[in-house]
Amino acid sequence: MKDWTVILLKEIGLRVTPQRRAILELLKENGSHPSAETIYFALLKTHPSISFATVYNTLAKLAEAEKIQQLEIDPQRKRFDHCLTPHHHFYCKACGRIFDVLDDSFLLKNVHEPEFKDVDDHQVDSIQVYLKGLCKDCKK
Amino acid sequence: MKDWTVILLKEIGLRVTPQRRAILELLKENGSHPSAETIYFALLKTHPSISFATVYNTLAKLAEAEKIQQLEIDPQRKRFDHCLTPHHHFYCKACGRIFDVLDDSFLLKNVHEPEFKDVDDHQVDSIQVYLKGLCKDCKK
DNA sequence: ATTAGTGCAAACACTTTGCACGGGT
DNA sequence: ACCCGTGCAAAGTGTTTGCACTAAT
């Protein structure tokens, strides 16, 4: 009952199932911002009967409850990030890896400050900063 | 020969066709950042035989040549922006419209300054800032 | 004349859905 | 016992591709 996955799931009113806990654990351990498909195939090893439906459903519910982030940075597919502290992302066009960009010093004001809840009269709920290019490995 | 669409297409070594000129003109006149599908159906009126292949191919080539921008802000589909001057985008989760955000005063340093070509040793080619929430019409 | 571009249809990749069964509460 | 969650398969959506024909150079 003290496991963080159990607490997190109960917090948002979802039933605690081995599949959901496995998805959460994989997301936390895997820093590569995996896609739903990648998560599915990774979990097949430990949960041979897991299905796409479960993975997609769970990810959607976690994202809706804002327990994970859904990234639109990869043109081909949705990618997921368990990390909730404000940071941005770098996408390598060559290898497809996504790197966290923790240094957001180029943002003048923090996204979470109240003055940024409103831009041009629109109500802003989230700000994502996506950098793209070649990563340190691929640029060689 | 003096038409801007002709000049633009020749500049990037593409043949000048009525379809391509129509796509460029529609993008310039349409401030709504349309998707490929929207562009296709809009052009059907004036070019009854235009095909998806042509629209997708042309948009891909224009984006590759950096004559238009491909936006990843809409979770469902790619959206296109003819405007190349640096600006960011706001996506309304309710109505799906995309608004230009011209005021980038919240960026400490301009994306195009040399120091931002490199972050964490990665070579940065582009930075996109995506705001999401409810637009001024939908938040009522 | 040459060769890139077009249009059609089929194929693709990723995601979502309907439904019966099984497991969490 | 209730009903949410799972797994399967099928369907859906947006995009890409192969190919023969057409048109731009």
Side-chain angles (χ1 to χ4, degrees):
Chain A
M1 181 64 88
K2 42 177 67 122
D3 187 286
W4 67 276
T5 57
V6 177
I7 295 167
L8 188 155
L9 288 168
K10 295 217 168 194
E11 230 174 78
I12 56 178
L14 294 181
R15 287 191 178 168
V16 179
T17 68
Q19 294 88 336
R20 285 177 173 166
R21 296 180 64 183
I23 290 170
L24 280 169
E25 272 154 9
L26 186 141
L27 265 176
K28 186 159 201 174
E29 281 154 23
N30 181 331
S32 71
H33 308 78
S35 66
E37 213 179 358
T38 304
I39 292 169
Y40 168 76
F41 285 112
L43 291 183
L44 266 189
K45 295 164 193 159
T46 46
H47 299 72
S49 74
I50 201 166
S51 68
F52 276 109
T54 299
V55 175
Y56 277 102
N57 284 339
T58 298
L59 290 171
K61 282 180 177 163
L62 290 172
E64 195 189 357
E66 299 190 328
K67 291 300 184 185
I68 63 174
Q69 258 191 94
Q70 184 174 293
L71 307 180
E72 249 80 69
I73 199 171
D74 179 339
Q76 314 299 320
R77 73 211 92 232
K78 287 172 188 154
R79 305 276 291 255
F80 297 89
D81 185 357
H82 84 284
C83 183
L84 292 171
T85 62
H87 66 281
H88 306 304
H89 296 93
F90 175 88
Y91 172 75
C92 176
K93 292 174 186 174
C95 67
R97 282 188 293 173
I98 294 173
F99 299 83
D100 287 321
V101 177
L102 299 170
D103 170 23
D104 62 352
S105 63
F106 57 92
L107 278 182
L108 182 59
K109 298 178 187 176
N110 192 289
V111 167
H112 301 280
E113 286 175 17
E115 59 258 53
F116 278 98
K117 293 302 179 190
D118 220 278
V119 168
D120 293 348
D121 262 350
H122 308 310
Q123 172 194 317
V124 178
D125 296 331
S126 69
I127 301 190
Q128 307 246 25
V129 179
Y130 293 143
L131 320 194
K132 301 193 181 189
L134 293 177
C135 75
K136 54 188 171 193
D137 297 330
C138 292
K139 77 179 178 187
K140 286 169 194 164
Chain B
M1 182 62 93
K2 41 177 68 124
D3 186 288
W4 68 275
T5 58
V6 177
I7 294 167
L8 188 156
L9 288 168
K10 296 217 168 192
E11 230 174 79
I12 55 179
L14 294 181
R15 288 190 179 170
V16 179
T17 69
Q19 294 89 335
R20 285 176 173 166
R21 296 179 64 184
I23 291 169
L24 280 169
E25 273 154 9
L26 186 140
L27 266 174
K28 186 158 200 174
E29 282 154 23
N30 182 330
S32 70
H33 308 77
S35 66
E37 213 180 357
T38 305
I39 292 168
Y40 168 75
F41 285 112
L43 291 182
L44 266 190
K45 297 165 194 162
T46 46
H47 298 71
S49 76
I50 202 167
S51 68
F52 276 109
T54 298
V55 174
Y56 277 101
N57 284 340
T58 298
L59 290 171
K61 283 181 176 161
L62 291 171
E64 195 189 357
E66 298 190 329
K67 290 302 184 183
I68 63 173
Q69 261 191 91
Q70 184 174 292
L71 307 180
E72 248 80 66
I73 198 172
D74 180 340
Q76 315 298 321
R77 73 210 92 233
K78 287 173 188 155
R79 304 276 290 255
F80 297 89
D81 186 356
H82 85 283
C83 183
L84 293 171
T85 62
H87 67 281
H88 305 304
H89 295 94
F90 175 88
Y91 173 75
C92 177
K93 292 173 184 172
C95 67
R97 282 187 293 174
I98 295 174
F99 299 83
D100 287 321
V101 177
L102 299 170
D103 170 23
D104 62 353
S105 63
F106 57 91
L107 277 182
L108 183 60
K109 298 177 187 176
N110 191 289
V111 167
H112 300 279
E113 286 175 16
E115 59 258 53
F116 278 97
K117 293 302 178 190
D118 220 278
V119 167
D120 293 349
D121 262 350
H122 309 309
Q123 172 194 315
V124 178
D125 296 332
S126 70
I127 301 190
Q128 304 250 23
V129 178
Y130 292 142
L131 320 192
K132 301 193 183 189
L134 293 178
C135 75
K136 53 188 171 191
D137 297 330
C138 292
K139 77 179 176 186
K140 287 168 194 165

